[in-house]
Amino acid sequence: AQRVTQPEKLLSVFKGAPVELKCNYSYSGSPELFWYVQYSRQRLQLLLRHISRESIKGFTADLNKGETSFHLKKPFAQEEDSAMYYCALSEMNRDDKIIFGKGTRLHILP
Amino acid sequence: DVKVTQSSRYLVKRTGEKVFLECVQDMDHENMFWYRQDPGLGLRLIYFSYDVKMKEKGDIPEGYSVSREKKERFSLILESASTNQTSMYLCASSRDAGEQYFGPGTRLTVT
């Protein structure tokens, strides 16, 4: 069965330090991977998706099919990056559901 | 700008009550979803709908039902609320298997 795993429930990083939020998935087909973010008192929203290959708010994520990973990275953390981050997977060419990981809370220390 | 609205931000109900959570989207999206969000458990899909009058069970449909009589509106119904249904409920919509747009959430407390 398809699954998205985020091994860290909480990640604390000092401001200015690099950030890496881990995401691993299990899926035999061709998945589309996403990162969603929820800032305090705001609604959940898309941060980035692997097919767009964009850098959003300094974040990037590369799909590694060999390691079945889609880690989210930022070279220099900022305080406004503190939020809940969810990795998610969509099964392309099947239905339109998205499977979410359990989330990682990123806490940026001053 | 896509707008997904939910009828209530906070709701307090008693055990055994029938509860209706309403969700409306204004972007003519075919797909609509109901999730519950719990600390440590992430987002769990309750029900989703691909079209009017169509519904599909998600991962945790027990104790819930849904209704989609119009394309823009997707309702979640708790037939007989129980304390273990205390949670944050999120509605979302999408055009396809890509980005989902979320509402602000309804925090439901069942006492």
Side-chain angles (χ1 to χ4, degrees):
Chain A
Q2 57 277 7
R3 183 180 298 171
V4 177
T5 303
Q6 295 178 249
E8 303 134 330
K9 284 187 177 181
L10 173 66
L11 184 64
S12 296
V13 174
F14 283 102
K15 179 181 171 182
V19 176
E20 183 178 45
L21 298 168
K22 291 184 166 52
C23 173
N24 288 90
Y25 67 91
S26 61
Y27 181 61
S28 57
S30 297
E32 181 172 2
L33 275 297
F34 307 83
W35 277 98
Y36 280 79
V37 62
Q38 188 170 28
Y39 301 102
S40 179
R41 302 183 191 282
Q42 294 188 28
R43 63 184 68 194
L44 191 62
Q45 59 187 293
L46 180 69
L47 179 63
L48 55 80
R49 55 200 299 181
H50 88 270
I51 61 170
S52 63
R53 299 182 183 275
E54 290 177 309
S55 172
I56 306 292
K57 299 186 179 185
F59 284 98
T60 59
D62 293 318
L63 179 61
N64 186 322
K65 291 187 177 181
E67 296 183 358
T68 60
S69 67
F70 187 57
H71 303 327
L72 184 67
K73 300 179 183 180
K74 184 170 182 176
F76 307 103
Q78 298 173 282
E79 287 191 61
E80 53 265 34
D81 295 330
S82 292
M84 192 73 179
Y85 291 80
Y86 293 95
C87 182
L89 174 154
S90 174
E91 305 168 276
M92 294 174 74
N93 302 318
R94 285 197 56 180
D95 56 36
D96 293 343
K97 288 191 304 180
I98 291 182
I99 299 159
F100 286 87
K102 293 185 178 181
T104 297
R105 179 164 298 281
L106 177 62
H107 183 207
I108 306 301
L109 303 166
Chain B
D1 193 23
V2 177
K3 202 72 172 290
V4 179
T5 57
Q6 295 183 228
S7 51
S8 305
R9 292 300 302 271
Y10 300 94
L11 210 52
V12 180
K13 294 292 182 181
R14 294 191 183 277
T15 301
E17 278 193 83
K18 191 168 186 176
V19 182
F20 293 87
L21 303 182
E22 302 282 333
C23 175
V24 177
Q25 51 96 2
D26 65 358
M27 285 301 291
D28 201 37
H29 284 169
E30 285 76 21
N31 304 322
M32 296 189 76
F33 307 83
W34 274 106
Y35 297 90
R36 60 178 285 175
Q37 183 182 33
D38 299 288
L41 298 178
L43 270 71
R44 292 181 291 168
L45 182 63
I46 304 171
Y47 268 97
F48 59 105
S49 169
Y50 293 132
D51 202 349
V52 176
K53 296 194 185 296
M54 290 185 63
K55 59 185 179 183
E56 297 281 345
K57 291 181 180 179
D59 300 317
I60 51 165
E62 297 78 18
Y64 303 94
S65 62
V66 290
S67 172
R68 193 161 180 206
E69 296 296 320
K70 294 185 177 182
K71 190 173 187 179
E72 67 270 18
R73 188 180 297 269
F74 192 35
S75 303
L76 180 69
I77 303 150
L78 286 66
E79 298 290 343
S80 177
S82 63
T83 54
N84 62 11
Q85 292 178 310
T86 291
S87 186
M88 173 69 85
Y89 289 88
L90 300 182
C91 175
S93 72
S94 74
R95 189 172 305 283
D96 49 32
E99 180 177 0
Q100 289 191 5
Y101 296 85
F102 284 84
T106 295
R107 184 166 295 283
L108 173 67
T109 302
V110 183
T111 61

